[in-house]
Amino acid sequence: ICNSFGSFAAKDPNELHMISSEDFKDNMKGILSGARAVDLNSEIEVEDSTEWPDPIPFNDYESKEIPVEILPDWQQDFARNLSDFTQTPVDMSVLLILSATATALANKAVIEIKNGYQEPFNLWTCTVLPPASRKSAVFKKITQPIVDYEIEQEEKLGPEISMAKNEIEIMESRQKKLQKQAVNSDRPTERQDILEEINRIDMDIQEKEIPKLPRLIANDITPEKIAHLLKNNFGRLALLDSEGTIFKIMAGRYSSDNQVSLEIINKGWTGSEFLRVDRVSNPSITVKNPAITQGLTVQPRIFEALKQKESFKGEGTIGRFLYSIPESNIGNRLTGDEVPGLRQDIYKRYKRGMQVLLNTEPKEEKKEEWEPMTLQLSPTAREIRNKLAADIETRLGPEGDLCFMREWGGKLVGNVTRVAGLIHIAAQIDADSGRSDRELFNKPITGEAMQAARTLAEALIPNAKKLFDLLDTDPKTSLAKYVLDRIIKGKDMEEAGELPEKFDGKEAFDRNILLKLCRGKKEIQKPQDLKEPLKLLEELNCIMRVGRESTGGRPPSDLIILNPKVYAQYTQKTQKVSDKKTSVPFVDKVDAVCKNKTEDLTGVIEI
């Protein structure tokens, strides 16, 4: 790539300007006056150019890392260590830990904002990462306490469930026997007595409660099956899935011919909408307060499919999630002995804390529903929330930066309130002893918890902008972004001396090399497929194409020159990733403190 040429005058910017190699060198000398060009079989050596115009941005919103410090210390330490151990972005761990906390607390309490307005404790989070990002490893560690809880409850309640079922079977057998007697009896008085006995047994059966085995986690599931699980689990359920299966279901089946009903899922976000599912072949299902928690990781291509589903966007499902789109660190991860291990003391502390949350109880347990506790806001927390609400409302206006994603921004304050509640409750857990305050739900949400949730919101807004921009981006623009990424990749290859072809004995980047780098992209199979993306990139001042004179035979492909300002922006981003790779892992920092107890912890761990 010739990455630092100045502006090149062409009669028609949409037509390739063919020039000879000598004319090319003369033009570069005359135009650039201080530019530094690649040596194209010449002696040209000049300084870096400042002649290039600024590239017109793609609305590329730069995602912001989620601050792990928002979590209580026992969750924060685990998130850091897990991120180091799996060499994954800490954003994924933070959001999944919040979803796991919501799984443990859903329907046990609500947050009262004012009379008639409450927020539940369930939460929807989604982290967008490419394949091979080790999502499953992170999921397994974070959800393990929930799985352990389900197994523990099965062992505990198994005998009680068997006994209750046996008693009901005996009563049902008694009913059938009495029904036969009533049928065979010729005396009306005797039949009436038998009928009364049958009704008494029926009431006993209805009042007999079979303990419910908690089924808190599901992933590959249909919306109709979700309703069944909600009914059997006091209205709560968590869709925690490292493959984002629910999005795949939506993307693959949400069409005019075969629609997936999102009503069940959407009502599960609200946490207070009455749910009734009627099917011809199945009994009616009713759930008073369905509360669905979601913690998903998906690949970017899932949203590429969803962006075509206007009906899906219209349902508002996508606006209910808190999103993170961290920069992938694949290719920059530590390997071998450089990777720190999973600290068992930190992991056990996390599991003890989660067990406490999972064993908390609602205000009252009825037959199939829970009456939740009511959590209040402290004056400071209310003030912080009110200021956030006023700020977000302004930004949702016609001139605001959240105007184009109102379906998400309009739910942000509610989501922040939920996060504040989760952080507030988790902060009161003594994860070392595995205990909690008996007045866990009676203490108002603190200002510290609400401020932590607001800090999270400030980090999530750029991520949501990036996601909604992806959904609204025209396919031609998306393809141009991809091609620019491949051009930058070619620049990196040139710097490393790894270009697959050469021009005039010198390494240079042309359309043929770009076509090879785009191999695997179904929209780009032949040179002609690059015409429109390259044209758009030129119009945006990202690249310049320079034609080469044929010396006989097949005409050479045009040379592609990258705007150095574009590459400089890319270099700054990659440098951040490189800095993260060379930074000291969190566990090593903790070890350093342990070896020198007089050293202040905050002086070792970067906050």
Side-chain angles (χ1 to χ4, degrees):
I1 303 171
C2 307
N3 71 313
S4 50
F5 288 142
S7 300
F8 185 75
K11 295 179 180 178
D12 183 350
N14 296 329
E15 294 296 331
L16 201 57
H17 189 180
M18 305 299 293
I19 58 175
S20 68
S21 59
E22 289 301 320
D23 289 337
F24 176 77
K25 289 182 285 186
D26 290 341
N27 272 287
M28 290 302 100
K29 289 178 181 178
I31 294 174
L32 300 182
S33 62
R36 178 177 174 270
V38 171
D39 183 357
L40 300 180
N41 200 21
S42 72
E43 299 299 328
I44 298 176
E45 281 292 341
V46 285
E47 299 299 324
D48 287 345
S49 171
T50 58
E51 298 289 332
W52 275 86
D54 290 335
I56 300 173
F58 275 110
N59 285 337
D60 277 337
Y61 297 100
E62 186 173 353
S63 56
K64 187 176 180 180
E65 185 175 84
I66 293 177
V68 67
E69 294 81 13
I70 66 163
L71 298 175
D73 58 355
W74 60 276
Q75 292 183 333
Q76 178 185 150
D77 290 350
F78 177 60
R80 289 179 181 272
N81 183 210
L82 183 61
S83 176
D84 284 342
F85 173 63
T86 56
Q87 289 294 286
T88 55
V90 74
D91 301 50
M92 176 163 53
S93 294
V94 173
L95 288 189
L96 289 178
I97 286 173
L98 285 173
S99 288
T101 304
T103 301
L105 297 176
N107 264 0
K108 295 178 181 178
V110 293
I111 304 166
E112 186 168 73
I113 311 303
K114 61 181 66 175
N115 188 27
Y117 173 28
Q118 297 175 333
E119 287 288 347
F121 267 75
N122 57 300
L123 192 71
W124 292 12
T125 72
C126 178
T127 306
V128 184
L129 283 169
S133 294
R134 299 171 179 167
K135 299 182 285 287
S136 296
V138 175
F139 259 91
K140 183 177 181 181
K141 296 299 182 184
I142 290 176
T143 60
Q144 190 60 51
I146 303 175
V147 174
D148 292 343
Y149 173 79
E150 290 182 344
I151 295 173
E152 177 186 312
Q153 292 299 304
E154 184 176 0
E155 294 174 351
K156 176 183 177 180
L157 299 176
E160 294 182 40
I161 293 174
S162 297
M163 185 177 297
K165 287 182 177 180
N166 289 336
E167 290 178 4
I168 289 175
E169 287 179 3
I170 290 172
M171 287 189 285
E172 289 175 341
S173 297
R174 173 66 178 163
Q175 267 188 320
K176 291 179 181 178
K177 184 176 180 180
L178 289 172
Q179 287 171 350
K180 290 181 180 180
Q181 291 179 5
V183 170
N184 295 327
S185 176
D186 295 329
R187 293 179 295 174
T189 303
E190 181 182 24
R191 283 201 305 270
Q192 182 62 34
D193 291 341
I194 294 174
L195 181 60
E196 289 178 0
E197 177 66 15
I198 290 174
N199 291 335
R200 281 195 297 270
I201 294 175
D202 188 64
M203 291 178 62
D204 290 341
I205 292 175
Q206 296 299 322
E207 292 176 358
K208 185 67 178 178
E209 293 188 13
I210 301 177
K212 295 181 179 180
L213 284 177
R215 172 71 186 281
L216 301 183
I217 300 178
N219 41 53
D220 191 358
I221 186 172
T222 64
E224 289 73 16
K225 183 62 176 178
I226 288 174
H228 285 276
L229 292 180
L230 287 169
K231 176 74 173 179
N232 294 325
N233 287 275
F234 301 103
R236 58 183 181 148
L237 183 67
L239 305 177
L240 306 180
D241 185 14
S242 62
E243 299 299 327
T245 305
I246 196 69
F247 275 118
K248 292 181 180 179
I249 292 173
M250 295 173 190
R253 302 179 188 174
Y254 204 89
S255 65
S256 58
D257 296 327
N258 187 19
Q259 290 191 353
V260 169
S261 173
L262 297 179
E263 181 183 5
I264 295 172
I265 297 174
N266 288 342
K267 283 188 174 182
W269 178 82
T270 306
S272 59
E273 290 192 57
F274 182 79
L275 174 65
R276 172 174 286 143
V277 179
D278 294 312
R279 294 290 183 269
V280 174
S281 57
N282 296 307
S284 177
I285 298 174
T286 59
V287 184
K288 183 179 179 182
N289 296 310
I292 297 175
T293 291
Q294 295 201 60
L296 310 177
T297 58
V298 300
Q299 296 179 20
R301 61 183 178 84
I302 294 296
F303 287 101
E304 288 288 349
L306 286 176
K307 68 191 296 183
Q308 308 300 327
K309 313 291 183 180
E310 291 299 326
S311 301
F312 167 77
K313 291 197 291 185
E315 291 276 359
T317 305
I318 200 165
R320 290 165 163 81
F321 282 89
L322 297 180
Y323 296 97
S324 174
I325 313 178
E327 293 290 338
S328 173
N329 60 347
I330 296 177
N332 290 280
R333 297 178 291 199
L334 299 176
T335 59
D337 293 338
E338 294 180 309
V339 182
L342 184 69
R343 284 278 293 267
Q344 290 304 308
D345 56 333
I346 293 175
Y347 190 29
K348 288 179 180 178
R349 191 165 176 247
Y350 166 75
K351 290 196 286 188
R352 281 195 299 270
M354 285 299 300
Q355 285 297 322
V356 175
L357 294 176
L358 286 160
N359 284 294
T360 55
E361 297 179 352
K363 182 178 181 179
E364 185 179 353
E365 180 178 321
K366 297 181 180 179
K367 186 172 183 180
E368 292 183 341
E369 299 286 347
W370 277 343
E371 183 179 349
M373 305 287 284
T374 301
L375 199 60
Q376 304 291 335
L377 295 176
S378 69
T380 305
R382 185 176 299 278
E383 181 181 1
I384 294 172
R385 184 186 184 279
N386 288 342
K387 287 182 178 179
L388 174 64
D391 175 56
I392 295 299
E393 183 64 23
T394 300
R395 297 171 70 176
L396 290 172
E399 304 300 324
D401 63 317
L402 303 182
C403 178
F404 75 103
M405 52 178 197
R406 287 175 174 172
E407 61 267 46
W408 184 85
K411 298 177 178 64
L412 181 58
V413 177
N415 270 325
V416 166
T417 306
R418 299 182 189 195
V419 171
L422 296 172
I423 292 173
H424 171 72
I425 297 298
Q428 297 181 67
I429 301 299
D430 185 350
D432 291 315
S433 64
R435 297 172 184 166
S436 65
D437 193 325
R438 291 184 178 180
E439 304 297 318
L440 193 63
F441 293 105
N442 292 336
K443 294 181 178 180
I445 295 176
T446 63
E448 289 82 0
M450 186 62 73
Q451 183 57 49
R454 175 165 187 166
T455 300
L456 174 65
E458 292 170 354
L460 291 174
I461 286 174
N463 288 274
K465 287 181 178 179
K466 191 171 184 177
L467 188 280
F468 276 83
D469 180 63
L470 171 65
L471 288 172
D472 291 335
T473 300
D474 182 81
K476 293 181 180 179
T477 305
S478 297
L479 189 60
K481 287 183 179 181
Y482 171 80
V483 171
L484 180 59
D485 178 73
R486 296 291 84 194
I487 292 173
I488 293 173
K489 172 67 175 177
K491 168 61 183 170
D492 282 341
M493 294 176 66
E494 180 197 42
E495 292 289 330
E498 297 175 352
L499 284 177
E501 291 187 2
K502 293 186 176 182
F503 168 58
D504 286 345
K506 301 293 182 181
E507 293 180 343
F509 189 83
D510 63 11
R511 191 181 60 187
N512 288 337
I513 297 176
L514 177 59
L515 185 63
K516 289 185 178 181
L517 291 179
C518 293
R519 186 175 296 158
K521 189 72 170 177
K522 65 179 182 180
E523 293 88 349
I524 301 176
Q525 299 295 324
K526 54 186 182 297
Q528 186 66 17
D529 297 333
L530 288 169
K531 181 179 179 180
E532 290 301 320
L534 291 176
K535 175 183 175 182
L536 178 56
L537 291 175
E538 279 191 311
E539 292 172 350
L540 296 174
N541 300 328
C542 294
I543 66 166
M544 179 173 66
R545 291 179 294 170
V546 179
R548 294 178 283 170
E549 188 179 63
S550 175
T551 57
R554 179 180 298 177
S557 63
D558 44 299
L559 198 64
I560 299 172
I561 307 168
L562 178 66
N563 186 335
K565 296 179 181 180
V566 173
Y567 190 67
Q569 294 171 357
Y570 161 78
T571 304
Q572 290 174 359
K573 291 182 180 181
T574 54
Q575 184 60 46
K576 292 179 182 179
V577 176
S578 178
D579 290 343
K580 290 180 184 179
K581 179 180 178 181
T582 57
S583 63
V584 180
F586 167 70
V587 214
D588 293 344
K589 296 174 182 177
V590 174
D591 287 337
V593 176
C594 295
K595 292 177 182 177
N596 184 4
K597 295 183 179 180
T598 62
E599 189 173 2
D600 183 9
L601 180 63
T602 58
V604 178
I605 303 174
E606 297 175 2
I607 301 299

